[in-house]
Amino acid sequence: LKDDDRHNIRFEVQCKRWYLNKLLHEHEWEKNDLYHLWDKNIAINIVMNKIQQLIGTGDFYTLASAEFKLKDNFNKKKAAQLLDLLKISLYPKARRPWLPEIYSRHQEDCSAEYVKKNLLPALNKVGISPLVIPAEWKVDRLDNPAHIMV
């Protein structure tokens, strides 16, 4: 790699036929007229939407750093719920799209729908991604790459 390439992050959005059909319908494009996907603004919107679905809009924190921020912004019960959700994201198979379902299996009184409508938006509101930095990385916080894309 060249020195300039070491600091690049590459995002790809793989589009299945149903997703392309959705884009054609949303933008009222003619069938098979995918030339519009090369438009910079449309491409950025598509990638940003996928980034938000996968990693959220908040920055990445260690559990310890997130805990301080949660305690400053929420009551004790809500902060504990959010911290429990973040702990689950450290499991190897607990990635963002499946996080609500995994969390609801561990918490009897909490549905996946509640996680999607209340807990994940609460994290986004205070700028915390639902994906946690492992403590062994020796970094307390990383900016969300979505911030530098626009």
Side-chain angles (χ1 to χ4, degrees), residues 7 9 11 47-62 69 96 120 123-133 137 139-150:
H7 301 288
I9 298 173
F11 290 100
V47 172
M48 289 298 292
N49 184 303
K50 292 299 179 182
I51 287 173
Q52 289 173 2
Q53 287 177 1
L54 292 172
I55 61 177
T57 58
D59 294 331
F60 304 98
Y61 291 87
T62 60
K69 194 165 184 172
R96 173 87 160 78
L120 292 175
L123 287 174
N124 275 334
K125 186 177 178 182
V126 294
I128 297 175
S129 173
L131 301 178
V132 177
I133 301 171
W137 286 14
V139 175
D140 290 332
R141 181 182 160 276
L142 292 172
D143 289 339
N144 188 316
H147 299 303
I148 60 173
M149 289 203 51
V150 191

Side-chain angles (χ1 to χ4, degrees), residues 40 61 86 113 134 137:
K40 183 179 178 181
Y61 291 87
L86 292 176
E113 198 63 30
W137 286 14

Side-chain angles (χ1 to χ4, degrees), residues 72 80 111:
D72 285 346
S111 69

Side-chain angles (χ1 to χ4, degrees), residues 59-76 78-84 86-87 123 126-129 132-133 140:
D59 294 331
F60 304 98
Y61 291 87
T62 60
L63 275 177
S65 298
E67 184 174 12
F68 284 116
K69 194 165 184 172
L70 293 173
K71 286 181 177 179
D72 285 346
N73 288 285
F74 298 102
N75 65 40
K76 193 174 183 175
K78 182 82 164 205
Q81 273 185 320
L82 294 168
L83 194 59
D84 287 343
L86 292 176
K87 287 177 185 174
L123 287 174
V126 294
I128 297 175
S129 173
V132 177
I133 301 171
D140 290 332

